Amino acid sequence: MPAVESTTGNAVAGKLKSAARDSVKTVIAASMVGTAIEFYDFYAYGTAAANYFPHIFFSDKTNPTVAMLASFLTFAIAFIARPLGSLVFGHFGDRLGRKATLVVSLMTMGVGTFLIGCLPTYKTAGVGAVAMLCLLRFVQGVGLGGEWSGAALVATENAPEDKRALYGSFPELGAPIGFFLSNGTYFVLESFNDSDAMLAWGWRVPFLLSAVLVVVGLVVRVQMEETPIFRMAQEKQQVVKAPVVEVFKKSWKQVLQATFLVAVTYTLFYTLATWSLAWGTKTGAEGGGDLGFTNQEYLLMLMIAICVFAAFIVISCVNADKFGRRRVIVTSSVLLVVFALLFPFLLNGQVVGQRNFFANMVFLCVGFALMGTAFGPIGAFLPELFDANVRYSGSGIGYNLAAIVGAAFVPTIATWLSSHWGVHSVGLYLGVMAVCCLVAVLSCKETKNVDFTK
């Protein structure tokens, strides 16, 4: 009897390996391209929320800080919507498959983003314009809520057992790629247009261009195959009718662990990419730090630093496959606590002066290096916490709850903290989130060698 089981197991393993080898290039491309497009859409909004929407939708000439806070609050709406997206798309991803669900999530996100570029301004439509902006931001969030976990699964469920973290880095690399494309678009636009032109029409261009990127993403995703692990679950009739119920019934602890594992990466990213953009380019009266950088200068620095982010995603994933996920994330969490205590000195105009490019680049490059180290292994670690038949739902719910805990109000909270207690309070905020991540990862078992087919 054991010989029969061994033979059957070897046959299943051989079938899985063969299927993964046949489709791996397509699914890796689909996961990377799709998440790049999704994050492009999200970052385009973050940049606009920091620089243009306070004037276009929330103009308050008597108190510009209030206008910027209101703009950042709309930024939070999508993060609140993301858990809903993970519930909806997770259900269908675990019931019907990864492929079809990812196609629909991409379309949802793309439509919401394109229509934001078509909106009337507050001057034209009043409160109605703000209401439409909030609605489309919610649609964006629902779409992104189903994106990351599905993209991570089509990569890791096609990966060799000893390279799941490396394969999981491909959807993670979509984040810096999307960010680079988004900020690069704004950089080019601002190179050829003055502030009046950007406020009049230039801010719309990145949102409208997303339509082209979505078409490219859809073409790639329609061609990909369903993951072999999901097909095996179907063949074994292991697909559950209510995966979300199953997750909260049997895997609620893993959902909490996943939430706090990811939350600090969100806090760090939007501190680096959204809050610091406003802090570095705006005056104290506008809620900034009087550092004296132009918007174009800061975008260029961000695009340089984002390359460090991408490099450290790959480095951390190679190390996660070699040494384990826990060891890499524990290391990043400890270093983040140290970074949180020290980086405010680099952003304090009274310490470093105005237009100190060296200090600001150190802040951005070190921050994004730690971001890549913390974020990279997540692509494999979160899916490994859950069984195959609830993996889309479980990893998606944890990942998107982290968006609320770690990101939804980061620009708003950081702006409020820095305007009341200075930039060091922002560092303490990040430090608390890093400690939460450290506690979460220490409560997890190492997943490097788990049976991913179960």
Side-chain angles (χ1 to χ4, degrees):
M1 187 67 177
V4 174
E5 289 178 352
S6 177
T7 302
T8 303
N10 290 336
V12 171
K15 182 179 179 182
L16 178 62
K17 185 177 181 180
S18 176
R21 184 181 298 158
D22 290 340
S23 60
V24 68
K25 291 183 179 179
T26 302
V27 297
I28 293 299
S31 63
M32 184 188 292
V33 170
T35 51
I37 294 168
E38 299 285 357
F39 281 98
Y40 167 91
D41 292 350
F42 234 59
Y43 300 154
Y45 192 99
T47 302
N51 293 309
Y52 305 114
F53 289 173
H55 306 283
I56 296 167
F57 294 103
F58 304 99
S59 180
D60 186 343
K61 295 181 180 178
T62 60
N63 194 339
T65 301
V66 172
M68 188 162 66
L69 286 170
S71 178
F72 281 150
L73 282 174
T74 66
F75 180 79
I77 290 173
F79 289 99
I80 296 172
R82 283 172 63 158
L84 174 61
S86 66
L87 292 175
V88 174
F89 288 109
H91 173 82
F92 291 107
D94 284 324
R95 289 278 291 141
L96 304 178
R98 305 358 180 171
K99 175 180 175 178
T101 307
L102 279 172
V103 169
V104 176
S105 73
L106 181 61
M107 290 181 64
T108 303
M109 182 77 174
V111 169
T113 304
F114 179 80
L115 291 179
I116 287 175
C118 302
L119 284 177
T121 64
Y122 182 86
K123 185 181 293 186
T124 304
V127 177
V130 178
M132 286 186 283
L133 177 66
C134 292
L135 175 62
L136 292 175
R137 183 64 175 156
F138 187 86
V139 171
Q140 265 192 322
V142 170
L144 188 56
E147 167 60 32
W148 179 87
S149 54
L153 295 192
V154 298
T156 56
E157 289 187 347
N158 282 281
E161 289 185 11
D162 61 342
K163 294 183 179 179
R164 275 200 302 269
L166 180 60
Y167 277 55
S169 71
F170 284 94
E172 305 294 78
L173 285 169
I177 292 170
F179 182 88
F180 191 90
L181 290 174
S182 173
N183 273 16
T185 302
Y186 278 112
F187 180 81
V188 171
L189 285 167
E190 291 176 4
S191 298
F192 295 97
N193 297 283
D194 58 20
S195 59
D196 290 337
M198 289 300 298
L199 288 171
W201 60 269
W203 69 271
R204 300 179 184 274
V205 174
F207 296 96
L208 298 177
L209 284 178
S210 69
V212 178
L213 299 177
V214 169
V215 171
V216 173
L218 287 174
V219 170
V220 174
R221 284 192 168 173
V222 167
Q223 293 177 350
M224 77 179 186
E225 298 178 19
E226 186 52 78
T227 70
I229 289 180
F230 182 77
R231 293 201 301 270
M232 286 178 60
Q234 286 180 314
E235 292 171 4
K236 295 179 180 180
Q237 297 184 336
Q238 293 176 338
V239 176
V240 294
K241 292 183 178 180
V244 173
V245 175
E246 195 77 8
V247 165
F248 284 108
K249 183 179 179 181
K250 296 183 178 180
S251 304
W252 61 268
K253 181 181 178 181
Q254 286 84 350
V255 170
L256 288 176
Q257 290 170 331
T259 298
F260 287 98
L261 281 170
V262 180
V264 70
T265 65
Y266 275 119
T267 304
L268 176 59
F269 185 85
Y270 287 104
T271 298
L272 292 167
T274 302
W275 169 78
S276 80
L277 174 62
W279 180 258
T281 59
K282 297 185 182 302
T283 65
E286 296 174 318
D290 276 323
L291 296 184
F293 297 111
T294 67
N295 194 61
Q296 190 177 5
E297 288 170 343
Y298 210 94
L299 288 177
L300 181 58
M301 287 189 288
L302 280 170
M303 285 191 290
I304 294 171
I306 210 71
C307 297
V308 177
F309 179 26
F312 273 84
I313 286 176
V314 177
I315 292 170
S316 68
C317 287
V318 171
N319 287 330
D321 277 328
K322 185 176 181 179
F323 302 111
R325 289 68 161 125
R326 289 178 82 250
R327 187 177 298 183
V328 172
I329 297 178
V330 165
T331 301
S332 70
S333 299
V334 172
L335 291 176
L336 275 173
V337 173
V338 177
F339 176 73
L341 296 175
L342 297 180
F343 86 76
F345 293 102
L346 298 172
L347 298 184
N348 189 331
Q350 295 180 346
V351 175
V352 300
Q354 285 194 323
R355 295 177 61 77
N356 190 324
F357 287 92
F358 176 78
N360 210 80
M361 284 304 300
V362 170
F363 160 68
L364 291 175
C365 289
V366 173
F368 274 116
L370 293 176
M371 172 70 193
T373 304
F375 187 58
I378 293 298
F381 200 10
L382 259 62
E384 289 168 347
L385 293 175
F386 300 92
D387 293 338
N389 58 359
V390 295
R391 190 169 287 150
Y392 202 127
S393 297
S395 59
I397 292 169
Y399 185 85
N400 289 297
L401 285 176
I404 294 180
V405 174
F409 301 102
V410 169
T412 306
I413 293 173
T415 299
W416 186 81
L417 286 173
S418 58
S419 65
H420 285 76
W421 290 293
V423 68
H424 288 273
S425 62
V426 180
L428 291 175
Y429 173 40
L430 176 61
V432 169
M433 297 304 298
V435 171
C436 291
C437 177
L438 182 60
V439 172
V441 70
L442 290 175
S443 72
C444 294
K445 295 180 179 179
E446 179 55 61
T447 61
K448 177 176 179 287
N449 296 316
V450 298
D451 184 351
F452 208 50
T453 64
K454 293 184 178 179

